[in-house]
Amino acid sequence: IYLDGSNGSSDWFVPESGTTNTELNGFAGTDVNATRGLSAVTTSPSALALVGGASTAANGKSMVVKFSMSGRAGLTVTFAAQATGTGFTSQVWEYSPDGITWTPLATLDGTTVTDNFATSGVITLPNITDLDNAPDAYLRLTVDGATSSTGNNRLDNIQLLAGEYTPPDTTVPVITILGDNPLTLPVDASFTDPGATALDETDGPVAITTSGEVNTAVPGEYTLTYSASDAAGNAATETRTVVVADVTAPLITIAGDNPLYLPVGAAFNEPGASAFDAIDGDVEVQSTGTVNTAARGTYVLTYSATDTAGNEATATREVVVRSGAAHYFQTQYGWAAVDLGADADND
C-alpha cells in the first residue's frame, strides 16, 4: 500500500502534532491485511482509515495498492467499509498496469456513497479483466468531499480475488488440402472436389467451408477457397488451383482418296484437308510435301493443324504416280494385263 507519493499515490504523512497523524488512523478490525504502522495513534490498527485532516487537507488525495496478477485473471476487489457522516463523499477507483497510466473503474458518489462506502458493509468493485496476467498491477483510490478534520472512511479486510489465467487461443486451425494442388483436368471432364480437412490445436477437428466454382467446359484457372474458424474466432484459409486445360488436338479430315493414284504426266489437283477443334472450331491446316507427276513414285503430303492451346495434329496422304493405262486398270479394277490383250509396263 502506497501513501507516500510514489506510484501515483499522494503523501498522506503530514507533519504531526505530537504523535497524531491527522490524515491517517487505525480502527479495530480484522487481522487480514492489517495496516500496522500507518498510524502513529493506534498501537494495533487493523482497519485503514483515511481522515479528512486539518482543514480537510486530505481531500483529493490518493492511496495506491500494488500487487501481481501473474498467472491470474478476472480480478474482483472487495473490502469492508465504514464511514462517518463527515467523511469523504467521493471515492474514485482506477486501475493501472504500470502505476503511470490509469483507467477509471468506478465512481462512488451521491446516494451510492450513502448506501455503500459511507456505511458499514462489504463493497465489491466491478470485475477487472484488463489486468489479466499482468506482472504488476495497481489500484488507486482517490477521495474527496470530507467536511471535517476527523471525518473518515475505513477500509478493512481488503481482498483481491482472481481465477487462474488461461492464455488466449490465438492459434489458427491447420487446413490440409486433399488431392493434387494444383489439380489439372481436361476440358469437359467430370470434376469432384477432393476437399480439405481442418485441425485446431485447442478444438480438434473443425468444419470446413468451401467457396469458388469450376467450369470444366471452359479452359482456364479456377480457385477454390477453404475456410475454417475455431471457437476463439481464429480463422484460416487455404486455396486450391484447378486448371481446366485443352489437351485434345484438332481432328484432321483428308479430302479425296488416300492413297491417291495418278498416271504419269497427269495433272495433280490437291484435294486438301480440313481441321476442326472441339474448343476453337475450324482451324487452319498447313500442308507440306510435293508431288511430281512426271516421275513415277510414292509421294507423301503432310497436313498439320494447331489449336490455340498448342495441341498439334498431323495426317498424311500418299500420292502414287504410276505409268500406263494397263496399270491404271489393274490397280483400279483388278484387271491383269493378260485380260486386256495388251502389253503392260512391268511396274
Side-chain angles (χ1 to χ4, degrees):
I1 297 178
Y2 294 95
L3 295 155
D4 59 357
S6 61
N7 292 306
S9 68
S10 299
D11 186 357
W12 292 80
F13 299 100
V14 297
E16 299 178 357
S17 174
T19 59
T20 301
N21 185 328
T22 60
E23 295 182 2
L24 292 175
N25 211 326
F27 289 82
T30 67
D31 290 332
V32 178
N33 17 90
T35 57
R36 182 185 303 275
L38 291 177
S39 169
V41 174
T42 305
T43 58
S44 181
S46 295
L48 172 63
L50 307 179
V51 184
S55 302
T56 60
N59 281 335
K61 286 192 173 184
S62 300
M63 175 192 77
V64 172
V65 178
K66 179 184 178 182
F67 50 98
S68 174
M69 282 291 290
S70 291
R72 299 295 171 186
L75 174 66
T76 299
V77 180
T78 70
F79 58 90
Q82 191 173 1
T84 65
T86 57
F88 302 105
T89 58
S90 173
Q91 297 86 28
V92 177
W93 288 91
E94 300 168 285
Y95 62 87
S96 172
D98 53 17
I100 299 173
T101 304
W102 297 90
T103 301
L105 175 62
T107 300
L108 305 176
D109 54 14
T111 304
T112 305
V113 170
T114 301
D115 292 340
N116 294 293
F117 200 5
T119 61
S120 298
V122 176
I123 303 296
T124 301
L125 300 181
N127 183 261
I128 304 171
T129 58
D130 290 350
L131 297 177
D132 290 359
N133 202 40
D136 294 321
Y138 300 82
L139 283 175
R140 181 165 69 180
L141 169 62
T142 302
V143 293
D144 205 350
T147 58
S148 168
S149 61
T150 58
N152 62 82
N153 296 70
R154 306 168 202 172
L155 299 90
D156 186 29
N157 194 24
I158 300 173
Q159 297 185 68
L160 310 178
L161 310 174
E164 184 178 356
Y165 173 74
T166 301
D169 177 8
T170 58
T171 303
V172 301
V174 176
I175 297 176
T176 301
I177 295 178
L178 305 178
D180 294 338
N181 187 26
L183 188 155
T184 301
L185 295 171
V187 174
D188 291 330
S190 175
F191 172 62
T192 300
D193 183 5
T197 61
L199 184 66
D200 185 68
E201 188 177 87
T202 301
D203 302 333
V206 293
I208 288 277
T209 58
T210 305
S211 60
E213 295 182 352
V214 175
N215 183 1
T216 60
V218 180
E221 288 192 0
Y222 299 87
T223 300
L224 297 178
T225 301
Y226 305 99
S227 304
S229 296
D230 62 16
N234 301 304
T237 60
E238 294 289 346
T239 59
R240 183 204 307 274
T241 300
V242 179
V243 180
V244 177
D246 177 7
V247 296
T248 304
L251 177 63
I252 297 176
T253 301
I254 296 177
D257 294 337
N258 187 21
L260 189 155
Y261 295 94
L262 292 173
V264 173
F268 172 58
N269 295 314
E270 163 70 274
S274 61
F276 183 82
D277 185 71
I279 302 299
D280 302 332
D282 293 327
V283 294
E284 183 180 359
V285 175
Q286 302 290 334
S287 176
T288 59
T290 58
V291 175
N292 182 6
T293 59
R296 292 173 295 182
T298 299
Y299 300 88
V300 176
L301 299 179
T302 300
Y303 305 98
S304 59
T306 304
D307 62 17
T308 55
N311 301 302
E312 183 179 7
T314 61
T316 58
R317 181 205 306 273
E318 288 187 353
V319 178
V320 181
V321 178
R322 297 295 190 184
S323 62
H327 177 76
Y328 176 79
F329 285 114
Q330 183 176 353
T331 55
Q332 296 299 310
Y333 303 106
W335 297 345
V338 66
D339 297 325
L340 298 176
D343 292 334
D345 293 335
N346 291 331
D347 60 6

